[in-house]
Amino acid sequence: MQKTLTDRELLDALADVVETNLNRHIDAAEGWQPHDLVPWSDGRNFAFLGGTDWAPDQSDLSETAKLALTVSVLVADNLPSYHRELGKYLRTGPWWRWVGRWTAEENRHEIMLRNYLMLTRAVDPVALERARMAHMTAGFNRPPLHLIDVLATCAFEEAAAAIRHRNTAALGENPIVTAMAEKLAVDDELQAEFFAELVSAALDLVPDQGVRAIADQVAAFRVPQVDLPGGGSSDEALAEAGIYDPAKEGELVFKPLLQRWNIFTRTDLGEEGEKARAELAHLA
């Protein structure tokens, strides 16, 4: 008979795995500096300090690059909401140290992106700030989740973010934008690796419980969505621009992780796990 563990029991049972993977993550991560990729010598004051305010002809970026970077900075700027949502589940021992590390890495993304957009006058700073205020005021809340659901969702989200940033780099917009997007993609991939390793460990402990959580989160998965300064939703705009298309999530986001977790080759599932696996075969 398949066993089931409470979230508290899973937090304790996986603590050593968290510690090991946190250390591995820190060793593997590049300690890049956000200020290094911002061309500071290109900057000048806005009118408030005696300079010139933004005008559309000051931007050298394509509309696709502006869209991709605007979405990235707005998602990253909403970090307090994501930190709260993750922290309320993982507020103990090595789990909490991971939350701190993840938060610091995400904040580094926001610092670099926003500095670049403002200094290069790539987008309207007033429109971006208004969008940022609206996005953060609305905040972000997830429905109550169990621990494995949280881990699976985070693995999917970071994998999706890596795809978005890889596609932004592939635009070949300019060397700086390409370098920034590649840095973000590498960080996203390492974060996805961390969460995926914990899901793997949870599956070994409670296979049915794990596959059930994964199936539920595939069915419910939605990437973070933002309202754009010029109107419209980021989902449709990013899909149209070829940066991130939810219609391709099954192939690009879910399939690699389901294969990593051996979902369709496992031989340790009970009745509930088999039912969840059948749902995944249909969903993904």
Side-chain angles (χ1 to χ4, degrees):
M1 181 177 179
Q2 289 275 335
K3 66 178 178 180
T4 298
L5 297 179
T6 66
D7 286 349
R8 178 72 259 180
E9 290 170 332
L10 280 168
L11 284 169
D12 291 340
L14 295 173
D16 288 345
V17 181
V18 176
E19 189 76 62
T20 298
N21 279 279
L22 175 56
N23 292 334
R24 177 195 53 78
H25 177 90
I26 292 171
D27 288 342
E30 179 190 352
W32 59 270
Q33 300 298 317
H35 62 268
D36 283 341
L37 290 168
V38 179
W40 301 100
S41 62
D42 293 348
R44 59 191 188 277
N45 289 342
F46 291 99
F48 187 80
L49 292 179
T52 304
D53 275 341
W54 183 84
D57 62 1
Q58 294 171 0
S59 176
D60 294 328
L61 294 187
S62 68
E63 291 303 314
T64 299
K66 285 190 281 189
L67 167 67
L69 295 182
T70 294
V71 169
S72 289
V73 79
L74 288 176
V75 170
D77 244 327
N78 209 16
L79 183 58
S81 288
Y82 301 124
H83 170 88
R84 180 194 66 237
E85 286 297 305
L86 194 57
K88 72 185 181 183
Y89 296 103
L90 310 180
R91 202 178 181 88
T92 179
W95 294 93
W96 186 235
R97 291 196 295 277
W98 164 250
V99 172
R101 173 73 189 202
W102 177 87
T103 301
E105 290 181 356
E106 292 296 315
N107 191 42
R108 177 171 61 182
H109 298 177
E110 185 276 335
I111 290 168
M112 177 180 68
L113 289 168
R114 194 166 186 275
N115 282 345
Y116 176 83
L117 292 177
M118 294 300 97
L119 185 135
T120 62
R121 298 178 177 239
V123 300
D124 182 348
V126 175
L128 183 64
E129 177 63 10
R130 288 172 177 166
R132 189 186 73 85
M133 292 291 286
H135 188 54
M136 292 187 68
T137 300
F140 172 80
N141 286 286
R142 282 197 177 100
L145 297 174
H146 290 295
L147 179 61
I148 306 177
D149 297 81
V150 172
L151 299 176
T153 296
C154 288
F156 293 142
E157 286 180 346
E158 294 300 345
I163 292 167
R164 178 161 50 86
H165 289 131
R166 287 292 180 198
N167 287 336
T168 302
L171 293 172
E173 186 69 25
N174 66 49
I176 293 178
V177 169
T178 298
M180 288 195 304
E182 287 176 346
K183 296 288 188 190
L184 301 185
V186 170
D187 276 4
D188 295 332
E189 287 160 356
L190 286 174
Q191 291 167 356
E193 173 90 4
F194 178 91
F195 287 115
E197 281 294 297
L198 297 189
V199 172
S200 292
L203 281 165
D204 289 342
L205 286 174
V206 283
D208 276 22
Q209 194 175 347
V211 179
R212 176 74 270 160
I214 292 166
D216 288 345
Q217 295 318 303
V218 167
F221 185 70
R222 300 290 185 277
V223 293
Q225 180 179 317
V226 300
D227 294 326
L228 300 174
S233 162
S234 59
D235 278 7
E236 294 180 358
L238 288 175
E240 185 176 346
I243 300 297
Y244 185 85
D245 187 354
K248 297 179 180 179
E249 284 171 346
E251 181 69 22
L252 300 179
V253 177
F254 304 137
K255 183 178 179 180
L257 285 167
L258 295 180
Q259 289 177 337
R260 179 194 184 105
W261 296 325
N262 300 315
I263 295 300
F264 299 113
T265 59
R266 301 187 74 92
T267 59
D268 55 358
L269 300 183
E271 182 178 352
E272 180 61 24
E274 292 289 359
K275 179 181 176 182
R277 177 156 62 183
E279 292 173 20
L280 279 169
H282 174 72
L283 289 168

PDB file of all heavy atoms in Angstrom, residues 264-276:
ATOM      1  N   PHE A 264       6.521   8.089 -17.039  1.00  0.00           N
ATOM      2  CA  PHE A 264       5.850   7.072 -17.855  1.00  0.00           C
ATOM      3  C   PHE A 264       6.584   5.731 -17.875  1.00  0.00           C
ATOM      4  O   PHE A 264       6.164   4.810 -18.567  1.00  0.00           O
ATOM      5  CB  PHE A 264       5.651   7.605 -19.280  1.00  0.00           C
ATOM      6  CG  PHE A 264       4.798   8.845 -19.310  1.00  0.00           C
ATOM      7  CD1 PHE A 264       5.332  10.072 -19.674  1.00  0.00           C
ATOM      8  CD2 PHE A 264       3.466   8.798 -18.925  1.00  0.00           C
ATOM      9  CE1 PHE A 264       4.548  11.215 -19.689  1.00  0.00           C
ATOM     10  CE2 PHE A 264       2.672   9.934 -18.929  1.00  0.00           C
ATOM     11  CZ  PHE A 264       3.215  11.153 -19.306  1.00  0.00           C
ATOM     12  N   THR A 265       7.652   5.631 -17.084  1.00  0.00           N
ATOM     13  CA  THR A 265       8.368   4.351 -16.997  1.00  0.00           C
ATOM     14  C   THR A 265       8.460   3.837 -15.571  1.00  0.00           C
ATOM     15  O   THR A 265       9.039   2.768 -15.340  1.00  0.00           O
ATOM     16  CB  THR A 265       9.791   4.488 -17.582  1.00  0.00           C
ATOM     17  OG1 THR A 265      10.510   5.502 -16.861  1.00  0.00           O
ATOM     18  CG2 THR A 265       9.736   4.849 -19.057  1.00  0.00           C
ATOM     19  N   ARG A 266       7.891   4.562 -14.619  1.00  0.00           N
ATOM     20  CA  ARG A 266       7.974   4.136 -13.215  1.00  0.00           C
ATOM     21  C   ARG A 266       7.191   2.838 -13.012  1.00  0.00           C
ATOM     22  O   ARG A 266       6.139   2.626 -13.623  1.00  0.00           O
ATOM     23  CB  ARG A 266       7.412   5.209 -12.279  1.00  0.00           C
ATOM     24  CG  ARG A 266       8.109   6.560 -12.376  1.00  0.00           C
ATOM     25  CD  ARG A 266       7.603   7.511 -11.296  1.00  0.00           C
ATOM     26  NE  ARG A 266       8.138   7.130  -9.993  1.00  0.00           N
ATOM     27  CZ  ARG A 266       9.265   7.634  -9.485  1.00  0.00           C
ATOM     28  NH1 ARG A 266       9.952   8.529 -10.156  1.00  0.00           N
ATOM     29  NH2 ARG A 266       9.685   7.234  -8.305  1.00  0.00           N
ATOM     30  N   THR A 267       7.705   2.016 -12.104  1.00  0.00           N
ATOM     31  CA  THR A 267       7.029   0.748 -11.789  1.00  0.00           C
ATOM     32  C   THR A 267       6.611   0.680 -10.327  1.00  0.00           C
ATOM     33  O   THR A 267       6.294  -0.395  -9.817  1.00  0.00           O
ATOM     34  CB  THR A 267       7.957  -0.439 -12.105  1.00  0.00           C
ATOM     35  OG1 THR A 267       9.159  -0.317 -11.328  1.00  0.00           O
ATOM     36  CG2 THR A 267       8.295  -0.494 -13.579  1.00  0.00           C
ATOM     37  N   ASP A 268       6.610   1.854  -9.659  1.00  0.00           N
ATOM     38  CA  ASP A 268       6.309   1.873  -8.219  1.00  0.00           C
ATOM     39  C   ASP A 268       4.991   2.548  -7.900  1.00  0.00           C
ATOM     40  O   ASP A 268       4.763   2.968  -6.771  1.00  0.00           O
ATOM     41  CB  ASP A 268       7.450   2.566  -7.457  1.00  0.00           C
ATOM     42  CG  ASP A 268       7.754   3.966  -7.984  1.00  0.00           C
ATOM     43  OD1 ASP A 268       7.098   4.403  -8.971  1.00  0.00           O
ATOM     44  OD2 ASP A 268       8.654   4.632  -7.423  1.00  0.00           O
ATOM     45  N   LEU A 269       4.103   2.664  -8.889  1.00  0.00           N
ATOM     46  CA  LEU A 269       2.853   3.387  -8.669  1.00  0.00           C
ATOM     47  C   LEU A 269       1.724   2.461  -8.242  1.00  0.00           C
ATOM     48  O   LEU A 269       1.619   1.321  -8.699  1.00  0.00           O
ATOM     49  CB  LEU A 269       2.431   4.136  -9.941  1.00  0.00           C
ATOM     50  CG  LEU A 269       3.403   5.189 -10.472  1.00  0.00           C
ATOM     51  CD1 LEU A 269       2.815   5.882 -11.693  1.00  0.00           C
ATOM     52  CD2 LEU A 269       3.756   6.209  -9.393  1.00  0.00           C
ATOM     53  N   GLY A 270       0.876   3.001  -7.381  1.00  0.00           N
ATOM     54  CA  GLY A 270      -0.342   2.317  -6.991  1.00  0.00           C
ATOM     55  C   GLY A 270      -1.507   2.815  -7.832  1.00  0.00           C
ATOM     56  O   GLY A 270      -1.333   3.475  -8.869  1.00  0.00           O
ATOM     57  N   GLU A 271      -2.706   2.538  -7.362  1.00  0.00           N
ATOM     58  CA  GLU A 271      -3.903   2.881  -8.129  1.00  0.00           C
ATOM     59  C   GLU A 271      -4.020   4.384  -8.372  1.00  0.00           C
ATOM     60  O   GLU A 271      -4.308   4.830  -9.493  1.00  0.00           O
ATOM     61  CB  GLU A 271      -5.142   2.365  -7.388  1.00  0.00           C
ATOM     62  CG  GLU A 271      -6.447   2.635  -8.125  1.00  0.00           C
ATOM     63  CD  GLU A 271      -7.649   2.080  -7.386  1.00  0.00           C
ATOM     64  OE1 GLU A 271      -7.458   1.352  -6.385  1.00  0.00           O
ATOM     65  OE2 GLU A 271      -8.781   2.382  -7.809  1.00  0.00           O
ATOM     66  N   GLU A 272      -3.806   5.195  -7.337  1.00  0.00           N
ATOM     67  CA  GLU A 272      -3.932   6.641  -7.487  1.00  0.00           C
ATOM     68  C   GLU A 272      -2.843   7.192  -8.415  1.00  0.00           C
ATOM     69  O   GLU A 272      -3.097   8.081  -9.224  1.00  0.00           O
ATOM     70  CB  GLU A 272      -3.856   7.323  -6.120  1.00  0.00           C
ATOM     71  CG  GLU A 272      -3.982   8.841  -6.155  1.00  0.00           C
ATOM     72  CD  GLU A 272      -5.312   9.322  -6.722  1.00  0.00           C
ATOM     73  OE1 GLU A 272      -6.313   8.570  -6.684  1.00  0.00           O
ATOM     74  OE2 GLU A 272      -5.347  10.468  -7.230  1.00  0.00           O
ATOM     75  N   GLY A 273      -1.641   6.645  -8.275  1.00  0.00           N
ATOM     76  CA  GLY A 273      -0.565   7.091  -9.141  1.00  0.00           C
ATOM     77  C   GLY A 273      -0.818   6.749 -10.597  1.00  0.00           C
ATOM     78  O   GLY A 273      -0.520   7.549 -11.498  1.00  0.00           O
ATOM     79  N   GLU A 274      -1.352   5.557 -10.853  1.00  0.00           N
ATOM     80  CA  GLU A 274      -1.675   5.160 -12.224  1.00  0.00           C
ATOM     81  C   GLU A 274      -2.754   6.072 -12.812  1.00  0.00           C
ATOM     82  O   GLU A 274      -2.699   6.442 -13.994  1.00  0.00           O
ATOM     83  CB  GLU A 274      -2.140   3.703 -12.265  1.00  0.00           C
ATOM     84  CG  GLU A 274      -1.060   2.688 -11.947  1.00  0.00           C
ATOM     85  CD  GLU A 274      -0.013   2.575 -13.049  1.00  0.00           C
ATOM     86  OE1 GLU A 274      -0.124   3.270 -14.073  1.00  0.00           O
ATOM     87  OE2 GLU A 274       0.944   1.784 -12.863  1.00  0.00           O
ATOM     88  N   LYS A 275      -3.697   6.434 -11.995  1.00  0.00           N
ATOM     89  CA  LYS A 275      -4.751   7.337 -12.471  1.00  0.00           C
ATOM     90  C   LYS A 275      -4.166   8.703 -12.833  1.00  0.00           C
ATOM     91  O   LYS A 275      -4.497   9.272 -13.887  1.00  0.00           O
ATOM     92  CB  LYS A 275      -5.815   7.500 -11.376  1.00  0.00           C
ATOM     93  CG  LYS A 275      -6.949   8.446 -11.742  1.00  0.00           C
ATOM     94  CD  LYS A 275      -7.934   8.568 -10.593  1.00  0.00           C
ATOM     95  CE  LYS A 275      -9.031   9.590 -10.924  1.00  0.00           C
ATOM     96  NZ  LYS A 275      -9.980   9.756  -9.784  1.00  0.00           N
ATOM     97  N   ALA A 276      -3.297   9.213 -11.979  1.00  0.00           N
ATOM     98  CA  ALA A 276      -2.662  10.501 -12.251  1.00  0.00           C
ATOM     99  C   ALA A 276      -1.771  10.433 -13.483  1.00  0.00           C
ATOM    100  O   ALA A 276      -1.703  11.362 -14.291  1.00  0.00           O
ATOM    101  CB  ALA A 276      -1.847  10.955 -11.028  1.00  0.00           C
TER     102      ALA A 276
END
